[in-house]
Every structure is written in C-alpha cells, then in structure tokens.
Amino acid sequence: MPAEVRAMTAPPHPPPRSASSARAPRRPGRALLTWGAPLLAVGLVVLTVLAANVRDRASALRLAAAELRARLDPGERVQHQTRTVERHWYDLYRATYGALAATDRRVLYVGVLPELYPSADAPRAYDVRSYPYDTLFSIAMADAGRGSAAVVVRHGRSARRYRVPASQRADLAALVREAFRRDNALREALRREKQWRDSLAALPPIREYYRVQPGDALEAIARRFATTTERLRALNHLESDRIRVGEQLLVRETPHPVTPCPPEVCGTITSSEGALQLPAARTLNPPPR
C-alpha cells in the first residue's frame, strides 16, 4: 500500500493531556481511612462508655444501698427494696444506679449519679427523694418495654418514673404492694379519726345545773360559777334576775371534749418511734400487677 494511503487510513492519535488535567489514581487505603475514621471514633466512645458502666455498676449499687440505710430515720425499717437503673442523654447515656425501698413510713429512693472518672477519695453525688405516706402519695407499676419494669411514684404535683431490671420485677411488685397497703391504711386511719371527731362534735354540749337554795341571788350564783347574770338569763330564758328556791338553773354549757380516737376504733397511726401501724378492720386490695 502506498504511503499516502496508509497515512489517510491510520487512526488519529489522541491529543496529549496536560499535566493539570491528569489525576492520580485513588488509593483504596486512603478511601477506607476517610470513611472508617469517624466510625472508629464512635466505636471507641461506645466501648469506653460500656466499660465505664460495667466498672461503675457494682460500686454504685453498693454505695446506693449503703446510702439508703444511712438515710433512714431512727426506728425506721425497710420492708421491701429493689435496684433501679436509669440512663439519661445528658450523662452520655451512662447509667444511674440506685436503690428504691418501701419502709414503714415512706418510699425512699437513692441514686448514685454517674461520673466519668470516679475517684476513690472524692465523695460521690447522690439523687435522694423521699415520698412519705400521706394523702398526696400514690404509687403504681408501669410498663417499661423490653422485658424491664418501671414504677411511677407521685407526691402532690410531682411524679417520678423509676426503671427496674427485669430480674427485679418480683421485688418491685412486692414493694408496690407494700407501699400501696401502707398508704391506704393511713388513709383509712385518717378517715376513721375524722369520723370520730365529727361524731364527738355532733354530741350535745355538757350542761351543768344548780338548784337554787334559800338566800341565793342570781348575781351570787353567777360569781360562783365564773359567769355573768346576762349569761345565766340567756341560758335559762329569764326575763329578770328573780329566781325561786328549788329552781334548776343551767349555769354552764360546754362543748363535748374531743378525745383521741381509741386504737380499737381508728387503729394506731404512729407508734412511739414514729412508725406507721396498720388498722386491722379493713382488708386492702393491692393494685393490679
């Protein structure tokens, strides 16, 4: 083939690329490092938090139980107790381990606030809440999901929810029944005591009479009984100070005294140590589990 024909049929050569348009091939290791570094950092944070939780759990539960015992009043006794665990975002989802107890006087909670680097020498911070049994108190179990349990304790307008591990569900149910029983017993005792006071207030007043003797005058009788002639005239509906020998005069009228409700009627609300004693005249049904 002639040289002219070969030159015309040969494919054209591509134009040479400039140095600025040329790109170096991407290395797989650098791309993996770019995407994997954030994931690795998140994983390290999660592992650090989990390790701190595991390390802090045993000591926090021990501290919570000891602090709860230290917070008891003289003569106060724990009836039922359970462990609690809560996680808050502002604690980097670290757990707040604590103890919840129903005593003979109240429901008491002690939580050990988490610390990132707890020191053996520095004192720990506690979240302590007390709910005395009274007309403002209520307690009920709640569903926490994922096999765990929870309880809602209310006192007045404030309410607090406590989560309990699944292994502590039976202990929590016993605690709720005990607190419910004591709270309702106190309400029943207060109701009986009010009924006792109202029944005494409805009784007629105590009246004291005096029989007029010869030589008595209304003014002398009033001085003897520390009253006035006006009062004697009003009590006996007299139009004047004239009285007759042998007449019965009402000289004193006092309300019936309000005596304490006897234990066999109302039940003893508090003992000498301040502990709640339950009235036995009524069967109290616990809330549903």
Side-chain angles (χ1 to χ4, degrees), residues 114-166:
E115 297 178 0
L116 189 58
Y117 299 104
S119 174
D121 300 330
R124 297 295 296 269
Y126 297 97
D127 179 15
V128 181
R129 298 177 184 269
S130 177
Y131 307 95
Y133 302 132
D134 55 24
T135 56
L136 302 177
F137 171 86
S138 67
I139 187 170
M141 291 187 66
D143 186 16
R146 294 183 297 180
S148 61
V151 61
V152 178
V153 185
R154 299 179 182 274
H155 193 267
R157 296 184 178 180
S158 63
R160 184 75 181 270
R161 181 187 179 97
Y162 300 97
R163 293 177 62 92
V164 175

Side-chain angles (χ1 to χ4, degrees), residues 3-240:
E4 292 81 0
V5 177
R6 288 199 303 267
M8 292 177 62
T9 58
H13 294 286
R17 291 187 300 174
S18 63
S20 60
S21 62
R23 293 184 178 180
R26 303 186 68 175
R27 297 180 180 179
R30 180 175 297 178
L32 181 62
L33 182 62
T34 302
W35 292 99
L39 297 177
L40 180 61
V42 172
L44 290 176
V45 171
V46 172
L47 290 177
T48 303
V49 171
L50 291 177
N53 277 329
V54 172
R55 179 191 62 199
D56 198 34
R57 176 182 178 183
S59 62
L61 290 175
R62 184 175 63 253
L63 289 173
E67 184 67 18
L68 188 143
R69 290 192 299 269
R71 297 275 178 166
L72 297 177
D73 295 332
E76 186 177 10
R77 297 184 301 274
V78 173
Q79 305 298 323
H80 292 281
Q81 182 174 333
T82 184
R83 299 196 304 267
T84 63
V85 55
E86 297 177 285
R87 300 180 189 275
H88 306 289
W89 64 268
Y90 47 79
D91 288 325
L92 298 179
Y93 290 97
R94 293 196 60 197
T96 299
Y97 296 103
L100 186 69
T103 75
D104 52 358
R105 306 180 190 180
R106 55 181 170 165
V107 169
L108 180 61
Y109 168 76
V110 175
V112 182
L113 298 180
E115 297 178 0
L116 189 58
Y117 299 104
S119 174
D121 300 330
R124 297 295 296 269
Y126 297 97
D127 179 15
V128 181
R129 298 177 184 269
S130 177
Y131 307 95
Y133 302 132
D134 55 24
T135 56
L136 302 177
F137 171 86
S138 67
I139 187 170
M141 291 187 66
D143 186 16
R146 294 183 297 180
S148 61
V151 61
V152 178
V153 185
R154 299 179 182 274
H155 193 267
R157 296 184 178 180
S158 63
R160 184 75 181 270
R161 181 187 179 97
Y162 300 97
R163 293 177 62 92
V164 175
S167 59
Q168 299 286 301
R169 181 183 290 271
D171 294 335
L172 177 62
L175 186 152
V176 171
R177 287 195 299 270
E178 179 68 19
F180 179 85
R181 184 175 73 96
R182 290 188 173 272
D183 176 61
N184 278 270
L186 177 61
R187 292 171 184 265
E188 176 66 14
L190 293 175
R191 186 192 66 81
R192 295 181 190 178
E193 186 176 8
K194 181 180 182 302
Q195 187 177 14
W196 173 264
R197 291 197 306 267
D198 293 343
S199 63
L200 292 180
L203 292 175
I206 300 174
R207 295 181 172 90
E208 186 177 351
Y209 292 88
Y210 173 75
R211 184 179 297 276
V212 179
Q213 303 296 322
D216 283 340
L218 192 64
E219 184 178 358
I221 297 174
R223 287 197 304 269
R224 181 184 301 179
F225 291 97
T227 185
T228 63
T229 56
E230 291 79 5
R231 177 62 177 166
L232 290 180
R233 286 198 303 267
L235 288 175
N236 295 274
H237 306 287
L238 299 176
E239 296 180 356
S240 66

